[in-house]
Amino acid sequence: MRDTASVRGHLPDESPGFVGRRTELERVSAALAEHRLVTVTGVGGVGKTRLALRAAHRAAERYPDGAWWTDLGQLDGERLLVALVADSVDLADHTPGMAATGLCRRLADDRLLLVLDSCEHLAEPCARLVAELLAAAPGLTVLATSRRPLGVAGEETIALDPLPPAGPDALALLRRAAGEDFPAAGPAGEICVRLEGIPLALELAAAQIRLQGAEAVRDQLGSRLDAAPGARFDLLAHTERVWPSRHQTLRAAIGWSHELSTPLERLLWARLSVFRGPFDLASATAVCTGGPLDRATLPEALDGLVRASVVRPPDAVGRHRMLDTIREYGATWLDRTGEAAAVADRHAAHFRGLARRAETEWHGARQLRWYRTVDAHHTDLRTALDRLLRTDPDAALDLVGSVAFAWSCRGRLREARDGLEQALLLSEARGRVRARALWALGVTLVLQGEFGPAQDISERCAREARHAEYAEPAGAGAGAETGAGGETGPGAGAGRDRPGDLTLDAAALAGLLALTTGRPTAAHVVVGHVLDAARGGPADSAARLRCHLVRVFALTGLGRLAEAREKALRLRALCEELDEHWTRTALEYQLALTGLLEGDPVAASGHARAMLEGTRRLGASLGVALGLDVLATALAAAGEGERAADVSGTGEAYWRSTGQPRRGLPGLRALHEKYTDTVRASIGGPAYEEIFVRALTGLPQDGLDRALRGPGQHD
């Protein structure tokens, strides 16, 4: 879920370097008005992405359900295609079944623009997915960029040529990129002609102009491009049999930039090509050092690549990016150095370590920071997981077991389940790593509503936990030698005669499953039995805290409300001391439910809003949907019929973003229906429906903002 925005959807900010393209922009805009699939084609570096982004921003207001952007360049295979597109349209799909089913359902009744950028390496699977989505969603329009058409029936193709080399737009782009007002006649104009108006080539030249001056750049390009084609540049291997001349010019320009780079910069360029997503200096250092490129020399080499426009300058949080065309070139050189496998292994090891640190920091003051770190590095974590599934399944199980719970909290249930199931199938590791992965898979299945498979996984998790904590010698088990996940203190094993964190988490999973299937007594018994036998308090580990949370919900379900509220308040105070966010948010939900059951809707509303603030920080759309339901129920119980209808309509919008119908704890569902019927009768069915539908079809972020306003703050 994204922060509040003025329009529905999500498009990246436009690049300030957009120049010209008025005719092309009008063509794309006109095509979008007439066709449901428009594909902008052209060679790499010609500006397809920038044109599509400008056209999408221009057309966004025509689509009531928004314009949404998907960068497919981060994928190296089709397996995660549907998951990435679903995530890009804020579909936190919690439903089981075929991968595209939830996405089709999410888009079926919407009128929106979906932009698929960089489709060329996934042209066939993209074509299949687009055809399926267009058939399922009559109001959907797709704008794609690709080096070749997708080949879907009804596709309108717009071929994008470079800027006219001798025209004003090419010179304007060069001026803007170089930061210098060149005259039309002279070296700058010659550079535009020699580079045939290709935007990316002009940007690379502009970077060298800043370093050397326009005359030197013109002369260097002249010596390179005037040479025989075979001597211009050692062209990359490519599947196409014949290179377009303009593509050769671009690749010659990239090769020229490569030659002008220092040896260390060229080495770093090659090694950075293993990153599929944004990277920071720390990650680049961990993955790319070796030989002459060490911690002292790497920052200077990275700065050199930024100055040469090979690497994009850091964003507000210090992350760099490489354009796909430039990264592809670096990957070819990495292959030629013979380092491709070694660097990929270092990349996988680095992100496995990052995943472990994230799990270690889950219980404490840095939880939110690491949760966001896992989200920011999601693409490279998936890349690392795919690598380890091929080369080291035991390490893959360790990585995905470390991050799967965070993925599930973020709504990436399909990816969490897919990675866990693959790793559990391929890995033969026993002990802590397997027990943790089974626990994470069980939670994922419960959130998907697959209670039968979740029961089987819960039982396997309990057996594996017993094996790890009682049957294995101390210190044995996969990952034990390196302290995978960081649980090396009293909570990790807790002694051979008492349950440790693995058994506690297995109990928490069993309790969660019991709660969601309407069996609070079973939930209370299973977690109570393990907590009574374990040493330590709820602050000692995340597993203990989760068990205490399940017990609080079980007490609520059993009607022991005063006891549940007292324990919840104590746990919440503890979470505030720890600066722990996830459990605190869940406790606010429980306190809201308790307030409703005790007949105190004002208190319930306050706790519901606190829960919503927490789930918004975590980007958890399922949590937002649950929180809106309990807030709508509290408002209805307080007799605020119009506000209840507004919040309930917003809640329905968020439920649809999860790909499933409304659900929640059985007790809340009954209360929601009861009080909703009451306020519908008080304000009238037509009035209630009008407010509900207006909230449902409006901007979900705006509806959430309205819901979070307390008494006296609403419009």
Side-chain angles (χ1 to χ4, degrees), residues 283 349-359 370 373-374 377 381 403:
S283 293
H350 169 68
F351 283 100
R352 180 188 178 194
L354 184 145
R356 286 177 167 183
R357 292 194 299 276
E359 186 197 19
W370 277 99
T373 297
V374 167
H377 290 287
L381 283 165
V403 297

Side-chain angles (χ1 to χ4, degrees), residues 564-583:
R565 184 179 65 255
E566 184 268 333
K567 289 184 181 296
L569 290 171
R570 278 196 283 132
L571 277 181
R572 189 184 66 175
L574 178 61
C575 289
E576 289 171 351
E577 290 178 20
L578 294 170
D579 198 21
E580 200 277 354
H581 292 261
W582 183 82
T583 305

Side-chain angles (χ1 to χ4, degrees), residues 351-363 395 397-403 432-433 436-437 439 477-489 491-492 501-502 505 540-543 546:
F351 283 100
R352 180 188 178 194
L354 184 145
R356 286 177 167 183
R357 292 194 299 276
E359 186 197 19
T360 302
E361 299 288 350
W362 183 264
H363 185 63
L397 188 66
D398 182 31
L399 185 155
V400 71
S402 297
V403 297
R432 180 188 183 280
V433 172
R436 181 189 54 187
W439 165 75
E481 71 281 358
T482 54
E487 292 182 6
T488 56
D501 280 353
L502 298 178
D505 261 337
D540 289 345
S541 72
R546 284 188 281 261

Side-chain angles (χ1 to χ4, degrees), residues 115-146:
V115 188
L116 301 177
D117 185 40
S118 301
C119 297
E120 53 273 347
H121 63 304
L122 298 171
E124 292 185 4
C126 278
R128 291 194 298 270
L129 177 61
V130 167
E132 187 172 356
L133 293 177
L134 291 174
L140 172 66
T141 299
V142 176
L143 173 60
T145 72
S146 178

Side-chain angles (χ1 to χ4, degrees), residues 309-363:
S309 292
V310 171
V311 171
R312 294 305 193 200
D315 61 17
V317 293
R319 292 177 298 185
H320 298 269
R321 293 192 74 101
M322 261 188 179
L323 291 180
D324 288 344
T325 304
I326 292 176
R327 182 176 56 79
E328 289 168 8
Y329 177 72
T332 297
W333 275 97
L334 186 63
D335 285 338
R336 292 180 180 182
T337 66
E339 289 190 332
V343 177
D345 287 341
R346 288 205 299 271
H347 176 275
H350 169 68
F351 283 100
R352 180 188 178 194
L354 184 145
R356 286 177 167 183
R357 292 194 299 276
E359 186 197 19
T360 302
E361 299 288 350
W362 183 264
H363 185 63

Side-chain angles (χ1 to χ4, degrees), residues 19 163-175 188 192-193 196-198 202:
V19 172
L163 297 167
D169 290 342
L171 184 62
L173 190 155
L174 190 67
R175 286 169 172 167
C192 293
V193 171
E196 302 181 12
I198 301 172
L202 293 173

Side-chain angles (χ1 to χ4, degrees), residues 205-572:
Q208 293 302 325
I209 289 173
R210 293 195 298 268
L211 299 173
Q212 305 180 59
E215 288 190 18
V217 169
R218 176 198 60 189
D219 295 341
Q220 290 174 22
L221 285 173
S223 63
R224 170 166 286 282
L225 296 176
D226 289 342
R232 291 181 182 178
F233 172 55
D234 191 8
L235 294 175
L236 303 182
H238 198 274
T239 55
E240 294 176 7
R241 296 180 60 187
V242 179
W243 283 102
S245 61
R246 288 167 179 161
H247 218 157
Q248 292 186 18
T249 299
L250 172 62
R251 290 177 175 268
I254 296 174
W256 167 67
S257 294
H258 188 260
E259 286 184 358
L260 292 176
S261 301
T262 67
L264 288 183
E265 290 168 357
R266 289 197 291 268
L267 181 59
L268 179 58
W269 184 344
R271 291 176 177 175
L272 286 174
S273 66
V274 298
F275 288 96
R276 306 289 306 190
F279 57 88
D280 53 24
L281 177 60
S283 293
T285 301
V287 174
C288 299
T289 52
L293 196 60
D294 56 28
R295 291 181 176 273
T297 58
L298 187 143
E300 183 178 352
L302 182 58
D303 287 343
L305 293 177
V306 171
R307 287 193 299 271
S309 292
V310 171
V311 171
R312 294 305 193 200
D315 61 17
V317 293
R319 292 177 298 185
H320 298 269
R321 293 192 74 101
M322 261 188 179
L323 291 180
D324 288 344
T325 304
I326 292 176
R327 182 176 56 79
E328 289 168 8
Y329 177 72
T332 297
W333 275 97
L334 186 63
D335 285 338
R336 292 180 180 182
T337 66
E339 289 190 332
V343 177
D345 287 341
R346 288 205 299 271
H347 176 275
H350 169 68
F351 283 100
R352 180 188 178 194
L354 184 145
R356 286 177 167 183
R357 292 194 299 276
E359 186 197 19
T360 302
E361 299 288 350
W362 183 264
H363 185 63
R366 303 177 74 187
Q367 181 188 86
L368 192 58
R369 173 190 168 186
W370 277 99
Y371 179 83
R372 289 172 175 167
T373 297
V374 167
D375 199 42
H377 290 287
H378 179 69
T379 299
D380 280 291
L381 283 165
R382 283 298 329 209
T383 301
L385 175 59
D386 289 343
R387 172 75 180 173
L388 293 173
L389 286 170
R390 295 191 300 269
T391 62
D392 189 348
D394 291 352
L397 188 66
D398 182 31
L399 185 155
V400 71
S402 297
V403 297
F405 184 64
W407 286 356
S408 293
C409 291
R410 183 62 177 80
R412 294 189 168 105
L413 293 182
R414 289 194 186 280
E415 292 179 73
R417 180 176 178 178
D418 175 71
L420 287 164
E421 289 180 337
Q422 284 197 75
L424 284 165
L425 180 65
L426 295 173
S427 171
E428 297 180 356
R430 297 294 308 275
R432 180 188 183 280
V433 172
R434 180 165 289 270
R436 181 189 54 187
L438 287 166
W439 165 75
L441 179 57
V443 171
T444 301
L445 290 169
V446 170
L447 292 175
Q448 285 188 314
E450 294 220 58
F451 301 129
Q455 182 65 46
D456 175 64
I457 293 298
S458 176
E459 293 169 2
R460 288 172 57 191
C461 179
R463 291 195 297 270
E464 194 66 35
R466 286 194 297 271
H467 170 81
E469 292 182 347
Y470 298 104
E472 286 187 348
E481 71 281 358
T482 54
E487 292 182 6
T488 56
R496 311 301 293 174
D497 58 335
R498 292 181 182 272
D501 280 353
L502 298 178
T503 299
L504 285 158
D505 261 337
L509 171 58
L512 174 65
L513 180 57
L515 285 172
T516 52
T517 53
R519 297 177 291 122
T521 300
H524 188 264
V525 169
V526 69
V527 296
H529 174 75
V530 175
L531 284 172
D532 290 344
R535 292 191 181 102
D540 289 345
S541 72
R544 281 167 170 72
L545 195 56
R546 284 188 281 261
C547 274
H548 281 277
L549 176 65
V550 170
R551 184 156 66 178
V552 165
F553 273 96
L555 288 169
T556 305
L558 291 170
R560 296 159 61 176
L561 302 181
E563 186 180 357
R565 184 179 65 255
E566 184 268 333
K567 289 184 181 296
L569 290 171
R570 278 196 283 132
L571 277 181
R572 189 184 66 175

